[in-house]
Amino acid sequence: MRCRDCPYGIEDFTLRTEMYKSVYGEYPDEDRTNESKQFVWCDKVGGKVYSFGHCSDWYEQDEENYKNHSKKKRINKRERYLKHQNHLKYLYETVGGYYPTPVRYVDEIWIKGVGYVKNQKPYYQRLYRGKKSKYLKQLSNRKIRRYKGELHNGYQHIHKIFDWWNEFC
């Protein structure tokens, strides 16, 4: 079926021929209409004929199966270390100024008997709270439980009475 007779592209085709008539004063000849049919928008193929093809070509092509994902290569030990160091560097730059800091930059190392020496390979080190924070939290809960005065309602407000974090740091 020709595009000018197809119900999916007839509207655009007639619009183009009418535009040609309004500009040039006459309808296009047969050669001109054959050239202009490649610029017709076809709803069946979802685009212009010159880029998406004719209706008959659309169903002749076999659809190829493309993989949506590729198998990701496992990164080696060095790449994992560098990725972790980049993450620590990001943490140091964004949250490093707050107290307590989650990451520290180690550019000097302690050598017994000598003192601090400049490290040849500086690195970022992650800091954790450790076991003492658990002990201090238990201590604060014990003090709150044994407190004889009047307490506010709500768990969050009660635990602000005894600040264990300043004692920890």
Side-chain angles (χ1 to χ4, degrees):
M1 180 183 285
R2 296 186 306 177
C3 290
R4 66 176 101 172
D5 300 329
C6 180
Y8 292 106
I10 193 167
E11 183 179 344
D12 194 38
F13 184 78
T14 54
L15 180 71
R16 289 185 178 280
T17 55
E18 293 299 324
M19 285 174 38
Y20 185 87
K21 184 182 180 219
S22 67
V23 172
Y24 295 108
E26 60 183 23
Y27 284 107
D29 58 343
E30 191 65 30
D31 294 333
R32 182 75 61 187
T33 54
N34 288 337
E35 287 178 16
S36 67
K37 77 175 184 180
Q38 66 178 342
F39 299 107
V40 172
W41 178 273
C42 182
D43 290 331
K44 191 171 187 179
V45 294
K48 295 197 176 190
V49 173
Y50 71 88
S51 60
F52 287 93
H54 293 280
C55 303
S56 59
D57 299 339
W58 184 255
Y59 292 109
E60 290 175 4
Q61 298 173 359
D62 293 334
E63 294 183 13
E64 297 180 19
N65 294 331
Y66 294 104
K67 290 184 178 180
N68 291 337
H69 64 283
S70 61
K71 188 173 181 180
K72 191 173 180 182
K73 181 182 169 275
R74 183 173 186 261
I75 57 177
N76 59 19
K77 187 176 181 180
R78 177 177 162 73
E79 290 170 345
R80 284 194 305 270
Y81 173 75
L82 292 175
K83 185 177 178 183
H84 181 64
Q85 287 294 310
N86 284 335
H87 175 66
L88 293 180
K89 182 179 179 183
Y90 168 76
L91 276 178
Y92 182 76
E93 290 171 354
T94 55
V95 191
Y98 296 105
Y99 183 78
T101 180
V103 178
R104 71 175 181 164
Y105 184 66
V106 180
D107 57 346
E108 292 180 337
I109 54 174
W110 172 260
I111 297 179
K112 194 173 185 179
V114 178
Y116 281 103
V117 179
K118 186 175 180 179
N119 192 0
Q120 296 296 325
K121 295 181 181 179
Y123 58 93
Y124 291 95
Q125 183 180 22
R126 178 74 186 204
L127 301 175
Y128 298 98
R129 291 197 316 196
K131 294 181 179 178
K132 188 176 180 184
S133 66
K134 182 180 178 184
Y135 168 74
L136 291 172
K137 190 173 181 183
Q138 289 173 350
L139 182 69
S140 74
N141 284 333
R142 191 178 317 129
K143 287 193 176 191
I144 290 167
R145 279 195 317 269
R146 295 178 181 175
Y147 183 67
K148 300 298 180 190
E150 190 165 330
L151 295 172
H152 298 287
N153 289 335
Y155 181 81
Q156 294 172 346
H157 302 293
I158 291 173
H159 286 266
K160 290 180 182 176
I161 292 173
F162 180 74
D163 192 14
W164 59 272
W165 185 258
N166 289 336
E167 197 171 310
F168 171 65
C169 298

